[in-house]
Amino acid sequence: MTDTPTSPSADPATVRRKRLLILGAGVAVVALGWAGYSWLSGGDSRSTDDAYVNGHVVAVTPQVAGTVIRVGADNSDRVTAGTPLIEIDPSDARVALAAAEADLARAVRNVRGLFASDARFDAEIGVAQAGLDKARADLSQRQAIANSGAVTGEDVRHAGDAVRSAEATLAAAREARAQALAQTSGATLASHPEVQAAAEQVRAAALALARARIVAPVGGMIAQRNVQLGRRVAPGDRLMAVVPLDGLWIDANFKEVQLDGICPGQPATVTADIYGRRITYHGRVADIEAGSGAAFALLPAQNATGNWIKVVQRVPVRIRLDPAELARNPLRIGLSAKVTVDTGRCDRKARPAAPQSESVALYDAQTREADAAVARIIAANIGRKP
């Protein structure tokens, strides 16, 4: 007789442990699936590590030609707006300014003479009119006594000739006065065309002299210096650059499939590779730029030729940084960064911030100085007001 072994009953603790393991595995699969979906779809944020620090590079170029006699800054130097950077030999500009000032003084004195001649011509007309009245009176007297034989017919003819001569003299004086008025009517001494032409020459020469001293248009750090002493420069030559480090921003190159949901004004966090995760910058989305990087490349892609392979495009998104954070932790152009944009809210009807105008007041000051030089020369030569 053979005994059949009986299977032992299952341990409840083991069964419970197996069930927990199965449940935990299921939760892990769901969590991984949700994480994968969120990563692929972007969730409520968009992230990219294809981001770089960018900023303005303000070129320093001369406005006049000449020889460089002084260089006041080098690469990595910090400058403020108005700091002298380069000086061009001003000798030729000084000579041209002195000649222009002399021409302006001469023009003012000539125009003074034109205004003074108006009174002289009025006096000449008065003299001619008096001569004509006298000649007519003489003619009338001689004609009245001609029949009595007191005067001869020849005297009467001479008196008539004197009247006609006096009339011609008066007409000539009036024409001369009209010619003088044509040169001065409707104008003051300072607004006379001859004075204005000379004044513009003085302004041009004064500006040329002022522009021989090149100053920093903005504050920042000097970069890309390529000018040396003794170099002959021409207008438009790039001598160096100034980088305003307080106005840097981030260009985050998002994939085109990530752009849906990114809107101006959304908050963004930025970490730069130079500091790592220990420094976090907080900024705002300025806007999505007008085209992809490939569209504005030096050699844009020609997708209508050859065999075409679709490539996911990247479009720059500008992130404006907090100036206070940027001052505490400075950045440099070209550094790598990682950007995360919170896309939880997107008002597509909201307009981007109004463009910020940029201007340099230094050039206005040069124009004012040139105008002051013109006014000073006119005042010194105008004499008594005509």
Side-chain angles (χ1 to χ4, degrees):
M1 182 176 179
T2 305
D3 295 333
T4 303
T6 60
S7 58
S9 61
D11 187 2
T14 302
V15 173
R16 190 183 315 110
R17 187 164 49 250
K18 289 181 178 179
R19 290 177 178 175
L20 290 175
L21 289 175
I22 294 173
L23 179 60
V27 170
V29 170
V30 172
L32 289 175
W34 175 255
Y37 173 78
S38 298
W39 181 78
L40 291 175
S41 62
D44 289 338
S45 65
R46 304 287 189 274
S47 300
T48 182
D49 56 2
D50 187 358
Y52 301 91
V53 181
N54 207 342
H56 295 294
V57 180
V58 182
V60 177
T61 60
Q63 294 176 282
V64 295
T67 302
V68 176
I69 61 174
R70 181 178 176 273
V71 179
D74 202 353
N75 288 336
S76 76
D77 288 345
R78 304 272 185 148
V79 298
T80 58
T83 301
L85 300 180
I86 300 166
E87 186 174 352
I88 299 174
D89 184 9
S91 302
D92 295 341
R94 287 199 181 102
V95 172
L97 178 59
E101 289 177 345
D103 289 340
L104 176 57
R106 185 185 305 111
V108 171
R109 293 175 181 269
N110 290 340
V111 175
R112 280 180 57 193
L114 293 178
F115 279 100
S117 65
D118 290 345
R120 179 172 62 86
F121 285 121
D122 288 339
E124 290 180 356
I125 290 175
V127 171
Q129 184 66 52
L132 176 59
D133 293 341
K134 181 179 179 298
R136 286 174 176 172
D138 291 343
L139 177 60
S140 297
Q141 292 175 358
R142 283 170 172 74
Q143 287 177 342
I145 62 176
N147 296 330
S148 64
V151 294
T152 63
E154 184 178 359
D155 289 337
V156 175
R157 289 194 302 273
H158 287 171
D161 292 340
V163 170
R164 288 188 290 273
S165 177
E167 290 175 344
T169 301
L170 177 60
R174 286 174 175 170
E175 291 297 329
R177 182 177 181 275
Q179 182 180 4
L181 287 176
Q183 298 183 23
T184 58
S185 62
T188 62
L189 191 149
S191 64
H192 192 273
E194 185 176 345
V195 174
Q196 286 291 305
E200 293 304 322
Q201 294 297 324
V202 172
R203 288 189 179 92
L207 288 175
L209 179 60
R211 289 167 179 171
R213 182 172 173 266
I214 304 175
V215 300
V218 295
M221 179 178 286
I222 299 297
Q224 298 178 333
R225 173 193 163 177
N226 57 12
V227 62
Q228 302 298 334
L229 290 175
R231 175 182 169 183
R232 180 77 178 180
V233 298
D237 290 348
R238 189 184 180 97
L239 306 182
M240 59 177 63
V242 181
V243 180
L245 296 178
D246 57 349
L248 301 181
W249 65 84
I250 302 295
D251 280 335
N253 302 302
F254 284 95
K255 296 179 181 179
E256 54 186 318
V257 295
Q258 296 178 294
L259 295 179
D260 185 22
I262 295 181
C263 300
Q266 290 175 334
T269 57
V270 179
T271 56
D273 290 1
I274 185 175
Y275 299 117
R277 294 184 178 179
R278 64 186 182 87
I279 301 295
T280 300
Y281 297 89
H282 299 83
R284 293 277 178 179
V285 175
D287 207 345
I288 302 172
E289 294 201 8
S292 67
F296 294 118
L298 181 62
L299 298 175
Q302 297 294 329
N303 294 330
T305 61
N307 295 325
W308 174 73
I309 299 176
K310 182 175 181 178
V311 177
V312 176
Q313 300 297 309
R314 289 184 179 267
V315 181
V317 176
R318 178 170 292 195
I319 309 296
R320 298 190 186 279
L321 300 176
D322 185 353
E325 295 180 348
L326 192 58
R328 288 194 299 268
N329 302 286
L331 296 173
R332 297 293 185 271
I333 291 179
L335 295 181
S336 300
K338 181 179 179 180
V339 174
T340 300
V341 177
D342 184 0
T343 58
R345 296 181 62 183
C346 177
D347 185 2
R348 297 187 181 276
K349 296 181 179 180
R351 294 184 178 181
Q356 298 178 353
S357 61
E358 300 176 352
S359 62
V360 178
L362 299 173
Y363 303 127
D364 295 336
Q366 293 177 351
T367 303
R368 288 194 297 268
E369 291 175 1
D371 293 338
V374 170
R376 184 175 61 253
I377 296 170
I378 293 177
N381 293 273
I382 198 171
R384 186 179 62 176
K385 183 177 180 181

